[in-house]
């Protein structure tokens, strides 16, 4: 710069001298300078025709090849031979050129702002060099020719590789080696090939059977096993060619699926069923995997296996009489295998499953039916029904296995009619007497069925309309394959013995005994004289309460055919479209209509048959084995409530209507529901809340306690119309009254409200006790035992005498006593007889008229007796007091009105003590139980006794 200034000073001096010599000629001076410049600056600067440069991004220095140098032939002439500038031609170029040395012409190209390779990798522009002209004041600079500059931007590895996907997923089949399972790909935002290209991939996760190549292809290094591991998760990273790793690894998920095996998928083995849930789908997500097999049609069979539940499935467990009534069967059925009881004790010694009333015969026992249970001479029309489960007969040569047999009791061994199994054949024998027929007639009817020995439950109905005998098994009709004829039996006076499970051999043996024992299980064995009920009744009696169902038949889809068996335990569906078949099977459900179903397992089996398009080999689909778990139902607690003790006058017992025993009885069923206190989730035990529930009852038994009824003087009565309109039945005996039939609790309440007790000779009777117990499901759920005691109030007759001045005081046990509520929640109450009230009222009225001095005490007594009158009205007790003649001496108690209060109080205390220490004749007749029950109310009786002490009566002259 110093040299440049010196050159310009010299040039100015020269020009200044020249101009001064001109002496003020301005125009001439300018012309002289131009001439001088033309003489001095004769040549243009020279530069290379092209330059190639490199600049590193984020740097300002450009390295040119060749270097930026301008030459001028006018050198060493000052100014003319010097380079003053380099000029770049182009718009918005981020470069500038500066002169480093004017004399040497050396220059430098640099960046004005940071250069980003990712924005622009190279630049091309024009550059020219300018000399300094003839002097500092001369603007006629000469410029060089135009040179092309090409600059490349050198990249810096500032970006890390990134994967195109955050995660990758692939599915492989077990047992195969893949060349490439999937390919991962990463990119780099750097601009140069060195840093923008991915040179390597690497699996970060260790100990996995996978490898990856430079292109990102992942393969397995060993055969994968679905049983060993269902899924693998591996991390993969990438490197660019500058060995810079990826900023974040990517996740690769490899699912291993088993070798494709045709079959049903997405189903659960256990299906829970909550009682009362209605219809519950069994396989809501099931679908068929065919492994790309060409399937033309498929048939699916869904089977609900319940042969080990009850009598083949979950059926109502009511007694046979109740079931017959429920299904609308005619009356007159005789149950030969009833529940053991005092009246039906012949089944007490048999092996029995009490929950289902199933009797098991092991080949060593039989039961004698008492005489009179079944008519001796059945007509030509009668029906035998039973449930039977029987297997193959033991032994090489099977003997007869008797189910039902009517044979001679003694002397001979003739079989009049019998039902037995022989060599898996069901045989019915019917021998007519000579007085009924005297010709060769059909006598044995044989049926050969596989079901007889399949160890499964079946329902049999043998309908006799002689000479035709028809068998109904599980609702289907079967005619006998063999009928043999025989002569009628000769008439005799030998008694007959009806037996179950074996046949009685009364003659032709040393000692009468059972023979031809049955091996198997029987239930609901009945016989009914008369015509058989309709097919509808038979179907109802053997119907299952559980089975398969289809939700929304309308949405099954076209082309789906389906069929149920009669018990709805087997469902067959057929179609040619796999999608429709899948949707149809997803709608198959389980239903149990019982309010209290039998808890336990119900096995399910789904089998499939597939047809393919003209192929010799078609796919095979394994069966589906699952089960329904029916959960335990909430157990009800049946409670009987009502008045458990009361008195009635003897006249009411003798009346035509008698005494209503249970006028206010209530039947309530509750169950315990656990809930958290205040609805909060705590670890404290849950409190039980009783909620009421509704269900049916199947019988209520009224038992007579303290000895059977004497039919000559007493009975229990119930109008048949009360039973008939509520579809219930009843049996009456000296031991009590049994009401049976499936009905609601309210129906049983209404019937019990009309049960009456009559006694034609109540004079010798003090009290009668009864007990009620009700049941649901043939004793599965029973109520509490409700005890009732009804006492007789005998009429008191007083002889006609002039000077009867005392009458019996109301006995203490006749006071209105309210007992506290017992554990069973029953409210006890005693009823005040009205005869004592009448006597007291009359006495008080006479005292009011005759005793002016005792008005104050009479008013107190009058108030007390008014209260007793109201209690008597509530009890609705009627008395006949026409025979009473009462003479009262009112001055006995109130003769001295002038006594002080202290003396009066002393006398009252003495009289109260006398009341507690003595009792009337009626009180002596009370039982010890009455005294115990009245103990709780002695406190209240003490108060009333103090008031009664105001009146003293002498009962010594009153006869009873």
């Amino acid at each position: 710069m110093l040299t440049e200034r010196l050159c310009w000073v010299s040039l100015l001096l020269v020009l200044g001298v020249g101009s001064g010599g001109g002496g003020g000629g301005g125009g001439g001076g300018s012309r002289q300078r131009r001439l001088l410049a033309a003489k001095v600056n004769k040549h243009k600067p020279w530069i290379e025709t092209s330059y190639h440069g490199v600049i590193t991004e984020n740097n300002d220095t450009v390295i040119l090849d060749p270097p930026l140098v301008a030459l001028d032939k006018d050198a060493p002439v000052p100014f003319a031979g010097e380079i003053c500038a380099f000029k770049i031609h182009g718009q918005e170029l981020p470069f500038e050129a500066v002169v480093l040395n004017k004399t040497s012409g050396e220059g430098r190209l640099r960046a004005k702002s940071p250069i980003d390779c990712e924005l622009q990798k190279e630049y091309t522009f024009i550059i020219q060099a300018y000399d300094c002209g003839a002097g500092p004041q001369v603007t006629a600079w000469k410029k060089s020719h135009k040179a092309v500059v090409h600059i490349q931007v050198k990249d810096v590895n500032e970006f890390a590789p990134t994967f195109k996907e955050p995660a990758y997923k692939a599915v492989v089949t077990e047992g195969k080696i893949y060349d490439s399972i999937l390919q991962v790909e990463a990119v780099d935002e750097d601009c140069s090939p060195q840093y923008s290209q991915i040179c390597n991939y690497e699996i970060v996760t260790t100990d996995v059977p996978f490898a990856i190549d430079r292109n990102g292809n992942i393969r397995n290094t060993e055969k994968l096993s679905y049983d060993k591991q269902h899924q693998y998760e591996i991390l993969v990273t990438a490197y660019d060619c500058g060995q810079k790793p990826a900023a974040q690894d990517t996740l690769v998920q490899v699912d291993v699926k088993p070798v494709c095996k045709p079959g049903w998928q997405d189903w659960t083995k256990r299906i829970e069923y909550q009682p009362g849930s209605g219809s519950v789908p069994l396989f809501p997500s099931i679908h068929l995997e065919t492994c790309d097999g060409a399937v033309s049609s498929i048939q699916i069979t869904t089977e609900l296996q319940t042969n080990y539940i009850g009598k083949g499935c979950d059926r109502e467990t009511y007694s046979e009489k109740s079931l017959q009534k429920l299904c609308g069967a005619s009356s007159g059925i005789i149950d030969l295998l009833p529940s053991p009881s005092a009246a039906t004790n012949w089944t007490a010694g048999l092996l029995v499953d009490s929950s289902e009333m199933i009797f098991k015969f092991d080949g060593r026992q039989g039961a004698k039916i008492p005489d009179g249970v079944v008519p001796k001479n059945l007509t030509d029309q009668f029906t035998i029904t039973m449930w039977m489960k029987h297997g193959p007969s033991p032994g090489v040569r099977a003997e007869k296995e008797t189910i039902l047999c009517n044979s001679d009791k003694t002397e001979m061994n003739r079989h009049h009619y019998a039902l037995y199994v022989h060599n898996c054949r069901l045989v019915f024998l019917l021998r007519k007497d000579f007085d009924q027929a005297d010709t060769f007639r059909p006598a044995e009817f044989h049926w050969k069925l596989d079901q007889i020995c399949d160890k499964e439950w079946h329902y049999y109905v043998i309908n006799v309309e002689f000479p035709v005998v028809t068998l109904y098994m599980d609702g289907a009709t079967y005619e006998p394959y063999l009928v043999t004829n025989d002569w009628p039996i000769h008439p005799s006076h030998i008694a007959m013995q009806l037996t179950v499970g074996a046949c009685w051999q009364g003659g032709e043996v040393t000692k009468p005994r059972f023979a031809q024992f049955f091996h198997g299980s029987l239930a609901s064995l009945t016989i009914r004289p008369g015509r058989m009920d309709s097919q509808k009744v038979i179907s109802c009696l053997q119907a299952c309460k559980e089975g398969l169902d289809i939700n929304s038949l309308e949405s099954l889809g076209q082309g789906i055919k389906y069929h149920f068996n009669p018990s709805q335990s087997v469902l067959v569906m057929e179609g040619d479209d796999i999608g429709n078949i899948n949707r149809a099977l997803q709608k198959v459900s389980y239903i149990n209509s019982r309010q209290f179903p039998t808890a336990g397992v119900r096995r399910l089996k789904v089998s499939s048959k597939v047809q393919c398009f003209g192929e010799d080999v078609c796919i095979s689909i394994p069966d589906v084995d699952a089960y329904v778990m029916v959960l335990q139902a909430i157990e009800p607690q049946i409670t009987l409530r009502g008045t458990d003790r009361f008195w009635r006058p003897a006249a009411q017992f003798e009346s035509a209507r008698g005494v209503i025993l249970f006028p206010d009885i209530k039947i309530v069923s509750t169950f315990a529901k656990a809930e958290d206190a205040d609805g909060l989730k705590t670890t404290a035990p849950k409190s039980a809340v009783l909620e009421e529930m509704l269900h049916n009852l199947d019988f209520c038994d009224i038992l007579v306690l303290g000895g059977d009824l004497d039919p000559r003087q007493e009975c229990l009565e119930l109008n048949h119309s009360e039973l008939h309109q509520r579809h219930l039945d009843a049996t009456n005996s000296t031991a009590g009254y049994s009401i049976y039939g499936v009905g609601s609790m309210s129906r049983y309440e209404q019937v019990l409200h009309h049960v009456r007790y009559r006694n034609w000779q109540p004079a010798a009777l003090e009290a009668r006790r009864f007990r009620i117990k009700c049941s649901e499901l043939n004793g599965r759920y029973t109520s509490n035992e409700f005890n009732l005691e009804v006492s007789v109030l005998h009429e008191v007759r007083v002889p006609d005498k002039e000077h009867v001045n005392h009458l019996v005081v109301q006995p203490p046990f006749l006071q209105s006593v309210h007992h506290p509520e017992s554990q069973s929640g029953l409210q006890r109450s005693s009823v005040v007889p009205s005869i004592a009230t009448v006597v007291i009222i009359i006495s008080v009225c006479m005292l009011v008229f005759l005793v002016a001095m005792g008005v104050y005490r009479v008013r107190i007594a009058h108030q007390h007796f008014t209260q007793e009158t109201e209690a008597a009205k509530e009890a609705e007790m009627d008395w006949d007091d026409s025979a009473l003649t009462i003479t009262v001496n009112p001055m006995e108690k109130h003769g001295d009105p002038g006594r002080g209060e202290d003396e009066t109080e002393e006398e009252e205390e003495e009289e109260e003590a006398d009341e507690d220490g003595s009792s009337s004749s009626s009180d002596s007749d009370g039982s010890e139980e009455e005294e115990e029950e009245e103990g709780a109310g002695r406190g209240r009786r003490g108060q009333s006794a103090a008031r009664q002490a105001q009146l003293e009566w002498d009962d010594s002259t009153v006869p009873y």
Side-chain angles (χ1 to χ4, degrees):
M1 295 298 292
L2 181 58
T3 304
E4 181 181 356
R5 282 195 293 269
L6 291 175
C7 291
W8 279 106
V9 170
S10 301
L11 182 59
L12 289 173
L13 289 175
V14 173
L15 294 175
V17 172
S19 63
S30 176
R31 188 169 49 253
Q32 291 177 355
R33 285 193 293 270
R34 288 195 296 270
L35 292 174
L36 178 61
K39 292 180 179 180
V40 175
N41 193 8
K42 299 179 179 180
H43 302 91
K44 297 178 181 179
W46 178 88
I47 59 175
E48 297 289 343
T49 57
S50 64
Y51 294 90
H52 293 275
V54 176
I55 184 173
T56 302
E57 63 177 340
N58 300 326
N59 198 349
D60 62 349
T61 303
V62 180
I63 301 174
L64 288 177
D65 183 24
L68 182 60
V69 177
L71 300 176
D72 196 323
K73 291 183 178 181
D74 293 328
V77 177
F79 297 103
E82 296 176 352
I83 303 299
C84 278
F86 293 97
K87 187 177 181 181
I88 297 175
H89 299 279
Q91 295 180 353
E92 298 180 359
L93 292 173
F95 297 98
E96 63 179 358
V98 295
V99 178
L100 297 179
N101 191 319
K102 290 183 178 182
T103 304
S104 63
E106 183 181 357
R108 186 177 66 180
L109 188 65
R110 64 185 181 187
K112 294 187 298 183
S113 60
I115 303 300
D116 191 350
C117 180
E118 285 72 38
L119 295 178
Q120 191 167 344
K121 295 181 180 180
E122 57 184 25
Y123 296 87
T124 302
F125 52 86
I126 303 298
I127 191 171
Q128 285 180 305
Y130 289 81
D131 61 12
C132 295
Q137 297 181 355
V138 179
T139 59
W141 295 358
K142 290 185 180 289
K143 56 184 178 181
S144 68
H145 60 271
K146 295 179 180 180
V148 178
V149 180
H150 181 76
I151 299 176
Q152 290 184 338
V153 182
K154 185 179 180 181
D155 188 22
V156 175
N157 195 3
E158 57 183 335
F159 294 100
T162 57
F163 287 93
K164 288 187 174 182
E165 300 292 338
Y168 294 84
K169 186 174 182 179
V171 179
V172 297
T173 304
E174 65 175 345
K176 295 177 65 177
I177 296 293
Y178 290 83
D179 294 333
S180 177
I181 296 175
L182 61 89
Q183 183 182 23
V184 297
E185 185 178 359
V187 294
D188 197 311
E189 294 183 2
D190 288 314
C191 64
S192 64
Q194 180 182 4
Y195 299 134
S196 64
Q197 292 183 355
I198 306 300
C199 288
N200 192 23
Y201 291 92
E202 181 180 331
I203 295 177
V204 179
T205 308
T206 58
D207 299 328
V208 289
F210 297 96
I212 191 169
D213 61 14
R214 294 170 60 101
N215 297 322
N217 294 305
I218 298 177
R219 60 183 178 85
N220 57 319
T221 57
E222 63 183 44
K223 294 181 180 180
L224 305 180
S225 173
Y226 177 81
D227 296 331
K228 181 179 179 181
Q229 191 166 343
H230 294 358
Q231 186 183 81
Y232 291 88
E233 291 185 348
I234 57 178
L235 293 177
V236 176
T237 190
Y239 295 90
D240 60 17
C241 294
Q243 294 303 306
K244 191 167 188 175
Q248 185 176 1
D249 300 334
T250 188
L251 176 66
V252 178
Q253 179 179 307
V254 180
D255 293 330
V256 182
K257 71 174 184 179
V259 176
C260 186
K261 298 176 182 177
W264 296 101
Q265 297 183 357
D266 294 340
W267 55 274
T268 56
K269 190 174 185 65
R270 174 189 171 100
I271 303 104
E272 289 191 353
Y273 184 83
Q274 184 69 41
S277 300
S279 184
V280 175
L282 297 173
F283 311 109
S285 303
I286 196 170
H287 65 276
L288 180 62
E289 175 61 61
T290 61
C291 296
D292 299 328
V295 176
S296 61
S297 66
I298 181 171
Q299 184 185 80
I300 306 170
T301 301
T302 305
E303 182 180 1
L304 180 67
Q305 299 174 349
T306 59
N307 53 340
Y308 48 89
I309 301 294
K311 298 186 289 290
C313 68
D314 207 1
R315 294 182 169 89
E316 295 292 2
T317 54
Y318 294 117
S319 65
E320 189 61 28
K321 285 186 177 181
S322 297
L323 283 176
Q324 295 273 349
K325 187 73 175 178
L326 190 64
C327 290
S330 303
S331 60
I333 184 173
I334 302 169
D335 192 356
L336 301 182
L337 288 176
S339 302
S341 65
T344 58
N345 58 359
W346 65 86
T347 59
L350 301 178
L351 299 176
V352 62
D353 181 356
S354 59
S355 63
E356 300 286 349
M357 292 311 301
I358 297 172
F359 293 86
K360 300 178 180 179
F361 295 86
D362 57 1
R364 294 176 294 180
Q365 57 183 349
K368 292 183 179 180
I369 309 298
D371 296 339
V373 174
V374 179
K376 292 183 179 180
N377 295 321
L378 294 174
T379 63
D380 289 343
Q381 294 179 343
F382 61 93
T383 305
I384 300 173
T385 64
M386 66 176 178
W387 284 97
M388 182 179 73
K389 183 170 73 171
H390 181 265
S393 303
V396 178
R397 185 175 181 180
E399 295 184 354
K400 294 180 180 180
E401 298 180 60
T402 301
I403 300 169
L404 180 67
C405 180
N406 189 29
S407 60
D408 291 331
K409 185 178 292 187
T410 57
E411 299 182 24
M412 303 182 71
N413 191 30
R414 299 175 301 174
H415 295 182
H416 298 264
Y417 62 86
L419 181 64
Y420 60 89
V421 176
H422 189 211
N423 289 328
C424 292
R425 292 168 173 82
L426 185 65
V427 182
F428 177 69
L429 169 69
L430 179 61
R431 300 285 301 279
K432 289 289 185 178
D433 293 339
F434 257 108
D435 56 354
Q436 295 174 322
D438 57 357
T439 58
F440 210 52
R441 304 296 297 272
E444 284 189 354
F445 304 84
H446 300 250
W447 293 271
K448 183 178 181 181
L449 302 172
D450 296 335
Q451 292 88 337
I452 296 173
C453 291
D454 65 356
K455 296 182 180 181
E456 303 289 345
W457 281 103
H458 299 283
Y459 186 64
Y460 298 85
V461 178
I462 296 93
N463 181 48
V464 178
E465 293 184 87
F466 196 80
V468 177
V469 179
T470 306
L471 171 67
Y472 297 86
M473 189 193 70
D474 295 337
T477 306
Y478 298 91
E479 299 294 335
Y481 82 96
L482 176 64
V483 177
T484 59
N485 299 334
D486 202 347
W487 290 102
I489 295 177
H490 293 282
S492 67
H493 299 286
I494 302 174
M496 292 179 287
Q497 178 64 61
L498 182 61
T499 57
V500 175
C503 197
W504 182 253
Q505 191 171 357
E508 302 177 3
V509 290
T510 305
K511 182 179 179 181
R513 57 182 176 84
F514 281 115
Q516 300 176 3
F517 291 96
F518 179 73
H519 297 79
S521 298
L522 296 174
S524 303
L525 177 60
T526 67
I527 187 169
R528 186 175 68 84
R531 294 182 60 86
M532 182 192 71
D533 287 307
S534 65
Q535 185 72 27
K536 182 179 179 181
V537 173
I538 296 175
S539 299
C540 174
L541 291 173
Q542 59 97 30
C544 289
K545 294 298 180 180
E546 64 179 341
L548 299 174
D549 191 19
I550 296 179
N551 291 332
S552 181
L553 291 173
E554 298 80 7
S555 60
L556 274 184
Q558 297 180 352
I560 299 296
K561 301 177 182 179
Y562 68 93
H563 172 71
F564 282 102
N565 69 334
S567 62
Q568 287 195 210
S569 61
V570 178
L571 170 62
V572 180
M573 294 189 296
E574 185 176 355
D576 53 7
D577 182 80
I578 299 299
N580 289 338
I581 284 290
N582 290 338
R583 287 186 289 272
L585 188 55
Q586 291 169 4
K587 297 180 182 298
V588 177
S589 59
Y590 169 81
I591 187 171
N592 194 316
S593 59
R594 292 189 66 190
Q595 186 176 10
F596 306 105
T598 303
V601 172
R602 274 68 161 173
R603 287 192 289 267
L604 280 170
K605 183 179 181 181
V606 179
S607 56
S608 309
K609 294 181 180 180
V610 178
Q611 293 183 354
C612 299
F613 290 99
E615 297 183 6
D616 296 335
V617 180
C618 197
I619 61 175
S620 176
I621 300 177
D623 294 342
V624 171
D625 291 317
Y627 65 93
V628 177
M629 174 58 71
V630 178
L631 303 180
Q632 183 69 43
I634 299 175
E635 296 191 0
Q637 181 179 354
I638 307 171
T639 305
L640 304 179
R641 300 174 182 172
T643 302
D644 64 345
R645 188 180 183 190
F646 60 84
W647 289 261
R648 294 290 185 271
Q652 192 168 342
F653 287 87
E654 296 177 294
S655 65
R657 290 191 54 82
V659 175
I660 296 177
L661 295 180
F662 314 104
D664 59 349
I665 195 166
K666 293 288 293 181
I667 306 176
V668 179
S669 181
T670 58
F671 68 94
K673 181 179 180 181
E675 66 175 16
D676 294 329
D678 300 330
L680 300 176
K681 294 183 179 179
T682 62
T683 57
K686 295 182 178 180
S687 60
V689 177
L690 294 180
E691 291 193 5
E692 189 171 345
M693 66 186 304
L694 298 177
H695 57 78
N696 291 329
L697 299 177
D698 57 353
F699 70 81
C700 282
D701 288 338
I702 305 173
L703 301 178
V704 181
L705 304 180
D708 291 350
L709 298 174
D710 187 352
R712 296 171 298 180
Q713 65 180 31
E714 58 182 342
C715 70
L716 289 173
E717 291 183 348
L718 180 63
N719 291 339
H720 182 73
S721 60
E722 300 293 342
L723 293 168
H724 181 71
Q725 66 184 1
R726 294 174 179 86
H727 305 286
L728 298 176
D729 283 327
T731 56
N732 195 359
S733 68
T734 58
Y737 215 101
S738 180
I739 304 169
Y740 64 89
V742 181
S744 64
M745 292 184 289
S746 62
R747 288 184 181 180
Y748 272 87
E749 277 185 11
Q750 295 167 6
V751 171
L752 290 174
H753 289 168
H754 293 85
V755 176
R756 305 185 305 276
Y757 170 68
R758 294 183 60 195
N759 192 308
W760 301 280
Q761 301 177 13
L765 180 66
E766 293 297 333
R768 257 299 187 185
R769 293 189 298 132
F770 303 91
R771 175 179 295 164
I772 303 182
K773 189 174 184 180
C774 296
S775 159
E776 164 66 339
L777 297 177
N778 202 21
R780 179 177 173 183
Y781 305 112
T782 57
S783 69
N784 62 309
E785 293 182 348
F786 176 76
N787 295 319
L788 169 68
E789 180 174 328
V790 54
S791 300
V792 182
L793 292 173
H794 297 282
E795 186 176 291
V796 179
R797 295 185 177 273
V798 181
D800 187 10
K801 296 183 179 180
E802 289 184 356
H803 303 290
V804 177
N805 55 2
H806 297 289
L807 197 61
V808 63
V809 180
Q810 184 180 2
F813 77 92
L814 296 181
Q815 293 295 322
S816 177
V817 180
H818 300 281
H819 295 272
E821 187 171 339
S822 64
Q823 293 180 355
S824 62
L826 303 179
Q827 180 68 32
R828 300 176 178 267
S829 62
S830 299
V831 182
V832 179
S834 60
I835 181 63
T837 304
V838 173
V839 172
I840 294 172
I841 292 175
I842 295 174
S843 301
V844 171
C845 292
M846 295 185 69
L847 285 172
V848 171
F849 286 104
L850 298 177
V851 184
M853 304 295 291
V855 174
Y856 175 73
R857 293 178 180 176
V858 171
R859 289 178 61 189
I860 297 177
H862 179 69
Q863 292 176 0
H864 168 64
F865 296 138
T866 303
Q867 295 175 357
E868 296 288 60
T869 304
E870 293 175 356
K873 289 179 179 179
E874 291 177 357
E876 296 180 359
M877 308 299 295
D878 296 329
W879 286 84
D880 184 8
D881 58 347
S882 59
L884 289 178
T885 303
I886 301 174
T887 304
V888 178
N889 184 358
M891 302 305 296
E892 186 71 41
K893 174 67 180 173
H894 306 283
D896 189 1
R899 286 184 297 180
E901 295 181 357
D902 295 338
E903 183 180 355
T904 304
E905 293 177 356
E906 291 177 2
E907 290 184 3
E908 288 176 356
E909 290 175 1
E910 291 175 1
E911 292 173 1
E912 182 177 350
D914 292 341
E915 291 283 350
D916 294 337
S918 61
S919 61
S920 65
S921 60
S922 298
D923 192 25
S924 64
D925 293 337
S927 64
E928 295 180 0
E929 181 180 354
E930 294 173 1
E931 296 175 0
E932 293 175 359
E933 293 176 349
E934 292 173 359
R938 287 176 181 173
R940 282 171 289 198
R941 289 203 306 268
Q943 298 174 4
S944 60
R947 290 193 290 268
Q948 290 175 358
Q950 299 172 21
L951 298 175
E952 180 179 357
W953 300 84
D954 186 359
D955 59 352
S956 60
T957 61
V958 179
Y960 281 78

